[in-house]
Amino acid sequence: MKPAAFTYQRPTTLTQALAAYAAAPEAKVLAGGQSLIPLMSMRLTSVPELIDINGIEELSHIHVERGQGVRFGAIVRHAQLHAHAEAREVQPLLHAALSHVAHATIRNRGTTVGSIVHADASGEMPMIMSLLGGTLTVASVEGRREITAEDLFIGPLETSLQAGEIAVEAFVPALPARHGVAFDEIARRHGDYALCGVGAIVGLDADGAIEHVRAGYVSVSETPAVVDLTGCFPDGELTEQGLKDAAELALTHLEPEADIHASAEYRAQLARTLTTRVVAAAHADAGARANAEVTA
Amino acid sequence: MTTKLMGEPVARVEDDRLVTGKGRYADDLMPGALEMAVLRSPHAHARIRSIDVDAVLDVPGVHAVYTYEDLEGPMAEPLPLLIPHPALTHGRTQYALAKDEVNYVGEAIAVVVADNRYLAEDAVSRIEVEYDFLPPVVGIDAARAAEHLVHEDVPGNVAAVMEQSFGDAEAAIASAPHRLSLDLTVERSACMPMEGRGTVARWDEDLNRMSVWTSTQTSTGVRAAVATKLGLDLGQVDVVTPDVGGGFGVKIVHPWPEELLVPMAAKALRRPVKFTEDRREHFISSAHERGQQQHIEVGFDDEGRVLGMSVKFWHDNGAYTPYGLIVPIITSTQLLGPYKLPNYKVVFESLYTNTVIVTPYRGAGRPQGVYAMERTMDAIAAELGMDRTVVRENNFIQPDDFPYAHGELTFQDGRPLIYDSGNYPEMMRKARDLVDWPSFEKFRDEARKEGRKVGIGIACYVEGTGVGPYEGGHVHIETSGKVKVSTGLTTQGQGHQTAFAQIVADELGVRFEDVEVVTGDTRRSPYSVGTFASRAAVMSGSAIALAARNARAKALRLAADALEADVDDLEIVDGIVRVKGAPDSQIALGTLAVLSNPLRYAFDEASRAATQFAVGDPSKPPVAEDDEPGLEGKDYYSPPRSTFASGIHAVIVETDPETAEIRILKYAVVHDCGTLINPRIVEGQVHGGVAQGVGGALYERMAYDETGQLQNASFMDFLMPYVTEVPESIEIDHLETPSPLNPLGIKGAGEAGVIPSSAVFAAAIEDAEGIPITAMPISPSELYALRLAHSSTTSHERTAS
């Protein structure tokens, strides 16, 4: 389990990094390394050149803009974002989902942006980007551009980043007023990839009626799946039937597959169960927040 | 009087060092040694047409590449079949490097020795092998079907068929008032020590001497193997076991191919060479265990007493049988547990498959045997509508039945299966109290009202521990008064330093802190067997106690002379020999050590006292005819047969009605390992065993696909439980029925914690779900599938009726 030979550079500015990447299109960008390094060590991938961006100070920011959202740079660790009180206040789903990302030791080193561009549909953060409608900022020697989550995830472990582009920052919008969120997942062991994970966001109108319901899914689709479940609650009320319908509707958008840990049927069952649990929890959260907002 | 240490929960003296990173493991030794990497077969079954190593030879930093063609003399012979048995009619072992054929993914084909492991792996990837593919045999079904053969000269893939019996099981079953049959399966798992295999060797050309440091459970075994295979005299080879990061059975197998190839290369290259196994290699080239299919027929009376039991099982032994039939023999004999069966018959087939070899893993066949018997007890209770604990009690061997012989059965040590001591009814009383068995139905009713499903399981086991042939102990009192102890078996983290020092401190009358224990060093203890079968405390503990007694006797004799007192009037306290009731009349053990060694030369103030003009009766030889210089004691302990520990586990689980997740609410263990040396260490062993048992019952399996590829050969997909998956607390109660077979009354404790896990979890889940659980381990996904199948069957039955 030793990687094959590779060259390594550690630029200290983004400009240097982009120039290096432009000059070496076969290179890989190293951030937290929690996926890349094991793949290299097991020789499942061969990387001729590594560009380590961990020394680029300008990528280490977390900017919270109240009423707008949270921006975080490419070398922000899961643990930093998870512990950021203001970020949690502005978009609580970030914190809720980050709690489920692997183990503390992996969160200490792994980066959230790195996890997003790894584009693993069994990772929590790509789904959160999709569910919240986040955007990713990428840069190359040609300049910068923003990619919406919708346009970002184009296949399993595949993004729309072009050659020479480095993801530099991600943005997730703030939780609007009268909205609530919840996240839960079921894994074989604490910290493992989820067999199925669900995040939900529920919006209420001024009277407390359900205005919209969306849920995002982990590990039951090839790319992060987000399903609009609003139609299951036609009277604006959270009913048992509505939750049941939501679970079945969600399944029509998902493609749970079997592996050595779970059958497709079992994953479907988890998607059902978690949909009802998480949507209900997000609805309760929305109600609590709406009340708190009125009181405030 | 010195405080007695036997039975005290003394804190382990090893741990400061080990948990602060100061352990010294094989890979830590000899930095700068050349490193070896292994080309392993990517195919489960293939003939090797050709191997081309040309591309390796010009890689900078490569020192050597070896294939089978390069092996000479005994190295070119198959690896040893360590434990032959008459029933093992078709035993097969692999070559150190594959000759012509490979029989599992991971089998070693070639090795490269290079400046470092990186370069060695680069070079390995350049070796080109051409294969002719053969159909792989994967799983017990395929082995039994025998449409294809693993070894073309082994008909039916059957390595061995073995039968043992007493009474007439078939007749007893046929005439019994009640009869049942069960079909059960257990899947594979593996030991998975934190440290994989590792070996370092240095050949000293000047001294003509081979030194090997290896991560093993038997240094003397490796020594003999290295000497034999490399054509060296035993006296030329030293094997030292450094700190070992866990064994759990896999490291009792020896010699591993690398354990021979490393010293072979070191001698050829005249440079130290090292091999450190990585995790993927451990999965695909070390050993697995547990895979069995079982068919049970049982006849019993109205009280659930077993009248006859007949078991047939099929044991997956993997591609080769280096460890003989030990695992299935243990299953077939330890299956009997604490029960008194009048008629019993067991037949097993040990079958070849194109998978990693199967050799003992903590529990070593017992978990499967206990699973067979305890599931049978549960089935009897269900059939009769009786309490499961009562059925067990009705079958228990009673305290006044000991020594109890199970007919003429022969145990894994080649000795009759005779239990030495135990008290199973008392153990059951304790277990029922500990888990609060009588209150469970009330708890179940309350849980049911909340829509929750809970279940309870209980399982008993008896474990033959401390198997022979022997171990030795050497206790040497230095002139400083420090006591140096050596025993030949090796340590993998059990706490031998602590436990053995407790024994010596008590036996000799010295301070615990003054005792230093060395294990697994053939330079200190050339005669030894190894650490396995929960035998270290029994075997080396006893030998060390006897050795300490010898040292004490000599010390008292010398002191009696020096103090002009009678031996019977002396006592040793904190390293000082003194006349009872006359504390001024005393002499330190260190001083006696000086006097015990008559000197010509003085090196320091202390040794002046022993020089020729200072002491001695000029009319007698300085060392008496029947005496030896030095203050030391040596002895060996060789038991007539194994001593049998026992225990009962109980668990309460909750299963999620929607997600089928299985949560452990309570885990209770009653354990009897005879006289306790150190309850803290015993409880640690139980905790570790339960954790491994949880893994084996609920998480771990070897996911081979039909082509023989192991799909989960990493810690990402092989689900060893984390601390978050094992019960937060394990309630333990001890019972001590001393063994009459050894001087301290000890029984083994190392494996117990893992033995009843599959049985007890299957029972609890079955109890929670009302669905028969016949295949372990079980995952939530499988439990969900069982629920679906069960509800469709029952609704079908409803429709039909």
Side-chain angles (χ1 to χ4, degrees):
Chain A
M1 277 196 203
K2 305 288 183 199
F6 57 87
T7 60
Y8 170 87
Q9 48 183 315
R10 188 180 165 96
T12 52
T13 68
L14 181 60
T15 313
Q16 287 168 2
L18 295 174
Y21 202 20
E26 295 299 300
K28 287 273 183 197
V29 176
L30 175 68
Q34 297 303 289
S35 298
L36 181 59
I37 298 293
L39 288 172
M40 290 171 66
S41 292
M42 290 189 266
R43 299 198 180 208
L44 294 173
T45 182
S46 114
V47 174
E49 187 162 350
L50 274 186
I51 299 169
D52 180 349
I53 61 168
N54 286 288
I56 304 176
E57 198 54 41
E58 62 200 280
L59 301 180
S60 64
H61 59 284
I62 301 176
H63 292 149
V64 179
E65 299 152 31
R66 293 198 170 266
Q68 296 296 310
V70 182
R71 267 172 212 290
F72 46 96
I75 60 170
V76 170
R77 314 292 154 180
H78 295 300
Q80 291 174 305
L81 196 54
H82 184 244
H84 203 281
E86 263 189 290
R88 178 180 185 175
E89 225 174 280
V90 167
Q91 182 42 271
L93 191 57
L94 266 185
H95 177 87
L98 282 164
S99 306
H100 290 269
V101 174
H103 302 273
T105 44
I106 292 176
R107 293 197 295 268
N108 284 342
R109 191 170 279 273
T111 65
T112 307
V113 169
S115 168
I116 291 166
V117 294
H118 189 51
D120 189 338
S122 48
E124 290 80 2
M125 300 325 288
M127 182 276 269
I128 292 299
M129 282 291 278
S130 294
L131 177 60
L132 295 177
T135 51
L136 186 74
T137 304
V138 299
S140 71
V141 287
E142 310 287 324
R144 283 178 174 244
R145 67 182 180 114
E146 294 204 337
I147 311 175
T148 63
E150 203 179 342
D151 293 335
L152 180 63
F153 303 114
I154 57 176
L157 301 171
E158 200 185 347
T159 66
S160 53
L161 264 72
Q162 301 296 306
E165 285 183 333
I166 294 177
V168 294
E169 180 186 274
F171 170 80
V172 292
L175 187 68
R178 298 192 305 274
H179 276 62
V181 293
F183 185 96
D184 198 7
E185 69 178 36
I186 289 174
R188 284 296 275 120
R189 296 174 301 182
H190 181 87
D192 281 352
Y193 279 116
L195 298 175
C196 179
V198 178
I201 179 161
V202 171
L204 305 177
D205 66 16
D207 300 324
I210 294 174
E211 210 164 46
H212 55 83
V213 179
R214 269 180 304 147
Y217 291 82
V218 175
S219 293
V220 281
S221 56
E222 290 205 326
T223 56
V226 175
V227 185
D228 191 324
L229 302 170
T230 314
C232 300
F233 306 95
D235 306 328
E237 273 178 40
L238 189 85
T239 59
E240 223 167 275
Q241 189 56 48
L243 288 172
K244 252 185 204 171
D245 294 346
E248 294 310 320
L249 174 63
L251 273 181
T252 63
H253 293 264
L254 304 174
E255 297 166 317
E257 284 185 9
D259 65 10
I260 58 171
H261 303 302
S263 67
E265 295 74 23
Y266 180 64
R267 279 205 166 83
Q269 168 70 3
L270 295 185
R272 256 184 230 116
T273 304
L274 287 175
T275 299
T276 60
R277 289 180 186 176
V278 172
V279 169
H283 179 261
D285 185 51
R289 283 176 196 278
N291 277 339
E293 284 154 14
V294 171
T295 317
Chain B
M1 192 67 201
T2 314
T3 319
K4 198 145 174 66
L5 290 172
M6 274 290 279
E8 289 302 310
V10 178
R12 288 163 39 113
V13 295
E14 292 88 342
D15 290 344
D16 276 353
R17 196 170 61 79
L18 294 178
V19 302
T20 55
K22 293 185 184 121
R24 299 259 296 158
Y25 300 89
D27 191 49
D28 297 323
L29 307 175
M30 234 169 284
L34 301 179
E35 292 199 72
M36 179 177 280
V38 185
L39 173 69
R40 302 186 181 280
S41 173
H43 305 297
H45 200 191
R47 234 180 284 287
I48 297 170
R49 201 190 302 159
S50 66
I51 306 174
D52 184 354
V53 299
D54 286 354
V56 176
L57 301 174
D58 52 2
V59 176
V62 168
H63 293 257
V65 53
Y66 301 104
T67 67
Y68 177 79
E69 297 300 317
D70 303 299
L71 305 181
E72 290 170 3
M75 276 298 285
E77 299 295 316
L79 296 178
L81 202 166
L82 291 167
I83 309 176
H85 190 284
L88 183 56
T89 51
H90 292 77
R92 297 289 180 274
T93 58
Q94 70 183 84
Y95 293 86
L97 293 169
K99 179 191 182 201
D100 304 333
E101 189 176 323
V102 284
N103 280 304
Y104 60 93
V105 171
E107 187 165 354
I109 294 173
V111 292
V112 172
V113 182
D115 282 343
N116 58 53
R117 175 77 185 222
Y118 292 85
L119 294 173
E121 287 192 21
D122 288 349
V124 160
S125 67
R126 290 173 166 233
I127 300 173
E128 291 189 13
V129 184
E130 287 188 312
Y131 300 94
D132 287 326
F133 300 120
L134 297 168
V137 178
V138 182
I140 295 176
D141 286 334
R144 286 176 66 181
E147 281 172 36
H148 304 291
L149 298 180
V150 174
H151 303 286
E152 60 184 9
D153 58 348
V154 179
N157 293 315
V158 179
V161 182
M162 187 171 164
E163 176 176 333
Q164 290 205 73
S165 67
F166 54 81
D168 186 342
E170 266 116 13
I173 295 165
S175 62
H178 307 277
R179 285 183 289 278
L180 275 176
S181 71
L182 288 86
D183 288 285
L184 305 171
T185 61
V186 186
E187 285 196 37
R188 279 187 175 208
S189 185
C191 300
M192 287 301 143
M194 278 201 284
E195 181 206 21
R197 297 181 292 116
T199 301
V200 189
R202 184 179 62 197
W203 170 253
D204 189 324
E205 188 71 14
D206 298 327
L207 295 175
N208 221 15
R209 208 170 174 77
M210 179 69 78
S211 301
V212 180
W213 294 260
T214 189
S215 187
T216 184
Q217 293 175 226
T218 171
S219 49
T220 46
V222 174
R223 183 190 190 210
V226 168
T228 304
K229 286 292 190 177
L230 299 188
L232 298 169
D233 293 336
L234 204 54
Q236 279 177 285
V237 180
D238 300 320
V239 175
V240 180
T241 312
D243 283 321
V244 173
F248 309 108
V250 63
K251 294 174 184 173
I252 192 59
V253 179
H254 65 284
W256 292 98
E258 298 86 349
E259 250 165 356
L260 299 174
L261 294 163
V262 164
M264 183 190 93
K267 187 162 184 289
L269 300 170
R270 296 184 187 178
R271 293 271 302 268
V273 177
K274 178 187 293 188
F275 166 73
T276 305
E277 182 186 59
D278 68 30
R279 187 54 58 182
R280 179 172 162 75
E281 290 182 293
H282 189 77
F283 273 101
I284 64 170
S285 69
S286 291
H288 302 165
E289 214 231 275
R290 304 274 200 259
Q292 282 183 3
Q293 292 180 355
Q294 304 168 336
H295 176 74
I296 299 150
E297 305 271 346
V298 64
F300 48 98
D301 68 14
D302 296 339
E303 273 73 53
R305 269 187 294 267
V306 174
L307 302 173
M309 185 170 184
S310 175
V311 178
K312 167 120 197 210
F313 70 92
W314 295 264
H315 172 80
D316 175 358
N317 62 225
Y320 301 101
T321 53
Y323 214 73
L325 297 175
I326 292 300
V327 172
I329 288 176
I330 294 176
T331 300
S332 62
T333 48
Q334 298 260 265
L335 197 148
L336 292 161
Y339 309 116
K340 203 173 186 173
L341 266 58
N343 300 284
Y344 176 64
K345 177 182 164 188
V346 60
V347 183
F348 68 77
E349 287 184 13
S350 192
L351 299 169
Y352 285 110
T353 56
N354 288 110
T355 57
V356 169
I357 58 167
V358 167
T359 63
Y361 158 33
R362 194 181 200 175
R366 293 176 188 87
Q368 300 94 313
V370 168
Y371 174 66
M373 178 57 94
E374 295 300 307
R375 301 290 26 240
T376 303
M377 287 292 160
D378 289 341
I380 293 171
E383 181 75 9
L384 298 176
M386 287 176 66
D387 184 294
R388 287 172 279 168
T389 62
V390 174
V391 169
R392 286 169 167 84
E393 284 176 317
N394 289 350
N395 284 284
F396 275 159
I397 297 163
Q398 296 301 308
D400 55 6
D401 289 334
F402 294 97
Y404 182 82
H406 287 286
E408 306 281 297
L409 294 196
T410 300
F411 191 45
Q412 64 141 328
D413 52 2
R415 306 282 163 140
L417 184 67
I418 301 173
Y419 292 178
D420 50 334
S421 66
N423 188 343
Y424 309 139
E426 175 61 16
M427 216 159 53
M428 182 57 93
R429 274 191 287 281
K430 280 175 176 272
R432 262 201 305 247
D433 284 352
L434 201 57
V435 75
D436 200 3
W437 182 268
S439 305
F440 182 76
E441 286 310 322
K442 191 164 158 259
F443 172 64
R444 191 206 302 273
D445 289 342
E446 283 162 13
R448 201 176 271 145
K449 282 180 203 147
E450 298 164 14
R452 296 166 61 202
K453 291 175 149 187
V454 295
I456 191 167
I458 197 159
C460 311
Y461 65 92
V462 170
E463 181 197 359
T465 68
V467 305
Y470 72 89
E471 286 300 333
H474 184 239
V475 174
H476 175 217
I477 299 159
E478 300 212 342
T479 55
S480 62
K482 302 271 186 200
V483 182
K484 306 293 178 182
V485 179
S486 173
T487 188
L489 57 64
T490 66
T491 295
Q492 300 93 47
Q494 294 93 335
H496 291 161
Q497 161 77 45
T498 306
F500 295 156
Q502 284 177 256
I503 293 173
V504 170
D506 273 4
E507 292 289 343
L508 205 50
V510 296
R511 296 187 313 161
F512 175 75
E513 305 78 57
D514 287 337
V515 184
E516 183 193 279
V517 180
V518 168
T519 56
D521 185 338
T522 64
R523 298 168 304 183
R524 296 279 297 274
S525 297
Y527 291 101
S528 166
V529 183
T531 303
F532 54 91
S534 302
R535 73 193 290 280
V538 179
M539 301 300 302
S540 282
S542 297
I544 286 169
L546 296 173
R549 288 174 191 179
N550 290 341
R552 176 190 171 88
K554 177 155 187 183
L556 292 179
R557 183 159 47 79
L558 291 169
D561 266 357
L563 300 173
E564 295 177 347
D566 195 88
V567 165
D568 294 337
D569 294 335
L570 298 176
E571 61 182 3
I572 310 179
V573 178
D574 288 344
I576 308 289
V577 188
R578 62 189 191 195
V579 180
K580 287 176 208 165
D584 288 346
S585 189
Q586 64 174 43
I587 187 165
L589 283 176
T591 310
L592 292 171
V594 172
L595 297 175
S596 72
N597 180 19
L599 293 175
R600 184 169 178 85
Y601 311 112
F603 304 101
D604 54 19
E605 202 54 43
S607 53
R608 288 172 64 118
T611 49
Q612 59 195 15
F613 299 109
V615 285
D617 180 343
S619 67
K620 291 180 186 163
V623 177
E625 217 170 278
D626 56 353
D627 208 351
E628 291 175 359
L631 183 50
E632 56 188 358
K634 188 172 100 169
D635 214 332
Y636 290 87
Y637 171 67
S638 181
R641 55 186 179 271
S642 298
T643 171
F644 288 81
S646 55
I648 299 180
H649 288 204
V651 68
I652 298 175
V653 301
E654 174 165 3
T655 56
D656 187 300
E658 288 168 316
T659 64
E661 288 169 286
I662 300 157
R663 202 153 67 89
I664 302 166
L665 301 183
K666 187 167 191 173
Y667 203 103
V669 176
V670 180
H671 182 243
D672 182 355
C673 58
T675 310
L676 289 167
I677 302 170
N678 184 328
R680 186 188 297 219
I681 288 178
V682 170
E683 289 181 9
Q685 285 280 16
V686 170
H687 292 163
V690 169
Q692 269 184 321
V694 168
L698 302 179
Y699 294 96
E700 299 167 1
R701 68 188 65 218
M702 289 295 167
Y704 275 107
D705 68 12
E706 67 282 0
T707 67
Q709 296 291 341
L710 188 58
Q711 295 172 285
N712 60 342
S714 82
F715 280 159
M716 225 167 85
D717 286 316
F718 177 81
L719 307 179
M720 255 175 41
Y722 301 122
V723 70
T724 39
E725 279 64 50
V726 299
E728 255 175 58
S729 74
I730 299 166
E731 291 173 43
I732 300 180
D733 197 0
H734 298 284
L735 185 68
E736 294 187 66
T737 52
S739 171
L741 301 180
N742 63 66
L744 300 174
I746 308 171
K747 300 177 177 184
E751 297 168 273
V754 79
I755 290 172
S757 317
S758 283
V760 80
F761 277 106
I765 295 165
E766 184 171 294
D767 187 48
E769 295 282 327
I771 303 173
I773 304 296
T774 58
M776 292 296 280
I778 185 164
S779 68
S781 180
E782 287 160 325
L783 179 56
Y784 178 67
L786 282 180
R787 283 179 182 173
L788 293 185
H790 189 71
S791 69
S792 76
T793 319
T794 45
S795 68
H796 179 73
E797 278 167 4
R798 226 175 289 133
T799 320
S801 62

mmCIF file of all heavy atoms in Angstrom, chain B residues 199-211:
data_model
loop_
_atom_site.group_PDB
_atom_site.id
_atom_site.type_symbol
_atom_site.label_atom_id
_atom_site.label_comp_id
_atom_site.label_asym_id
_atom_site.label_seq_id
_atom_site.Cartn_x
_atom_site.Cartn_y
_atom_site.Cartn_z
ATOM 1 N N THR B 199 8.080 -9.544 9.513
ATOM 2 C CA THR B 199 9.292 -10.308 9.810
ATOM 3 C C THR B 199 10.521 -9.501 9.394
ATOM 4 O O THR B 199 10.522 -8.877 8.336
ATOM 5 C CB THR B 199 9.279 -11.650 9.032
ATOM 6 O OG1 THR B 199 8.130 -12.402 9.396
ATOM 7 C CG2 THR B 199 10.523 -12.476 9.333
ATOM 8 N N VAL B 200 11.514 -9.521 10.258
ATOM 9 C CA VAL B 200 12.806 -8.902 9.945
ATOM 10 C C VAL B 200 13.879 -9.963 10.183
ATOM 11 O O VAL B 200 13.790 -10.701 11.165
ATOM 12 C CB VAL B 200 13.108 -7.695 10.867
ATOM 13 C CG1 VAL B 200 14.332 -6.939 10.385
ATOM 14 C CG2 VAL B 200 11.905 -6.781 10.988
ATOM 15 N N ALA B 201 14.854 -10.032 9.291
ATOM 16 C CA ALA B 201 15.925 -11.014 9.509
ATOM 17 C C ALA B 201 17.287 -10.401 9.195
ATOM 18 O O ALA B 201 17.403 -9.548 8.307
ATOM 19 C CB ALA B 201 15.702 -12.249 8.635
ATOM 20 N N ARG B 202 18.271 -10.857 9.956
ATOM 21 C CA ARG B 202 19.646 -10.421 9.709
ATOM 22 C C ARG B 202 20.538 -11.650 9.770
ATOM 23 O O ARG B 202 20.483 -12.422 10.725
ATOM 24 C CB ARG B 202 20.075 -9.410 10.775
ATOM 25 C CG ARG B 202 21.477 -8.843 10.522
ATOM 26 C CD ARG B 202 21.842 -7.833 11.580
ATOM 27 N NE ARG B 202 21.874 -8.456 12.901
ATOM 28 C CZ ARG B 202 21.838 -7.778 14.042
ATOM 29 N NH1 ARG B 202 21.736 -6.470 14.023
ATOM 30 N NH2 ARG B 202 21.891 -8.413 15.197
ATOM 31 N N TRP B 203 21.301 -11.826 8.737
ATOM 32 C CA TRP B 203 22.277 -12.919 8.719
ATOM 33 C C TRP B 203 23.628 -12.343 9.078
ATOM 34 O O TRP B 203 24.089 -11.378 8.458
ATOM 35 C CB TRP B 203 22.316 -13.565 7.332
ATOM 36 C CG TRP B 203 23.455 -14.541 7.169
ATOM 37 C CD1 TRP B 203 24.580 -14.360 6.440
ATOM 38 C CD2 TRP B 203 23.550 -15.831 7.775
ATOM 39 N NE1 TRP B 203 25.401 -15.458 6.539
ATOM 40 C CE2 TRP B 203 24.801 -16.376 7.351
ATOM 41 C CE3 TRP B 203 22.730 -16.575 8.628
ATOM 42 C CZ2 TRP B 203 25.221 -17.645 7.757
ATOM 43 C CZ3 TRP B 203 23.169 -17.827 9.033
ATOM 44 C CH2 TRP B 203 24.398 -18.357 8.599
ATOM 45 N N ASP B 204 24.272 -12.897 10.109
ATOM 46 C CA ASP B 204 25.592 -12.436 10.518
ATOM 47 C C ASP B 204 26.623 -13.377 9.922
ATOM 48 O O ASP B 204 26.804 -14.498 10.396
ATOM 49 C CB ASP B 204 25.682 -12.400 12.050
ATOM 50 C CG ASP B 204 26.959 -11.713 12.511
ATOM 51 O OD1 ASP B 204 27.997 -11.892 11.836
ATOM 52 O OD2 ASP B 204 26.898 -11.001 13.523
ATOM 53 N N GLU B 205 27.273 -12.910 8.873
ATOM 54 C CA GLU B 205 28.224 -13.745 8.140
ATOM 55 C C GLU B 205 29.428 -14.091 9.025
ATOM 56 O O GLU B 205 29.979 -15.183 8.934
ATOM 57 C CB GLU B 205 28.680 -12.990 6.878
ATOM 58 C CG GLU B 205 29.527 -13.789 5.913
ATOM 59 C CD GLU B 205 28.750 -14.864 5.159
ATOM 60 O OE1 GLU B 205 27.494 -14.832 5.184
ATOM 61 O OE2 GLU B 205 29.387 -15.743 4.562
ATOM 62 N N ASP B 206 29.806 -13.157 9.927
ATOM 63 C CA ASP B 206 30.970 -13.397 10.782
ATOM 64 C C ASP B 206 30.687 -14.484 11.814
ATOM 65 O O ASP B 206 31.531 -15.334 12.085
ATOM 66 C CB ASP B 206 31.372 -12.101 11.496
ATOM 67 C CG ASP B 206 31.781 -11.034 10.504
ATOM 68 O OD1 ASP B 206 32.340 -11.414 9.448
ATOM 69 O OD2 ASP B 206 31.515 -9.854 10.757
ATOM 70 N N LEU B 207 29.486 -14.422 12.387
ATOM 71 C CA LEU B 207 29.152 -15.390 13.439
ATOM 72 C C LEU B 207 28.401 -16.591 12.893
ATOM 73 O O LEU B 207 28.068 -17.509 13.642
ATOM 74 C CB LEU B 207 28.318 -14.714 14.533
ATOM 75 C CG LEU B 207 29.027 -13.618 15.322
ATOM 76 C CD1 LEU B 207 28.065 -12.947 16.277
ATOM 77 C CD2 LEU B 207 30.235 -14.173 16.077
ATOM 78 N N ASN B 208 28.085 -16.555 11.584
ATOM 79 C CA ASN B 208 27.375 -17.666 10.972
ATOM 80 C C ASN B 208 26.033 -17.886 11.677
ATOM 81 O O ASN B 208 25.700 -18.996 12.072
ATOM 82 C CB ASN B 208 28.235 -18.935 11.098
ATOM 83 C CG ASN B 208 28.178 -19.759 9.829
ATOM 84 O OD1 ASN B 208 27.735 -19.263 8.778
ATOM 85 N ND2 ASN B 208 28.592 -21.006 9.909
ATOM 86 N N ARG B 209 25.291 -16.798 11.832
ATOM 87 C CA ARG B 209 24.136 -16.839 12.713
ATOM 88 C C ARG B 209 22.981 -16.050 12.122
ATOM 89 O O ARG B 209 23.154 -14.962 11.592
ATOM 90 C CB ARG B 209 24.555 -16.193 14.040
ATOM 91 C CG ARG B 209 23.823 -16.700 15.187
ATOM 92 C CD ARG B 209 24.350 -16.281 16.525
ATOM 93 N NE ARG B 209 23.366 -16.806 17.453
ATOM 94 C CZ ARG B 209 23.304 -18.075 17.801
ATOM 95 N NH1 ARG B 209 24.212 -18.922 17.380
ATOM 96 N NH2 ARG B 209 22.341 -18.501 18.592
ATOM 97 N N MET B 210 21.783 -16.633 12.235
ATOM 98 C CA MET B 210 20.582 -15.982 11.720
ATOM 99 C C MET B 210 19.760 -15.437 12.879
ATOM 100 O O MET B 210 19.449 -16.171 13.822
ATOM 101 C CB MET B 210 19.734 -16.994 10.943
ATOM 102 C CG MET B 210 18.441 -16.448 10.374
ATOM 103 S SD MET B 210 18.721 -15.280 9.041
ATOM 104 C CE MET B 210 19.098 -16.427 7.698
ATOM 105 N N SER B 211 19.446 -14.142 12.794
ATOM 106 C CA SER B 211 18.541 -13.557 13.796
ATOM 107 C C SER B 211 17.256 -13.152 13.096
ATOM 108 O O SER B 211 17.293 -12.478 12.075
ATOM 109 C CB SER B 211 19.166 -12.321 14.436
ATOM 110 O OG SER B 211 20.385 -12.654 15.044
#
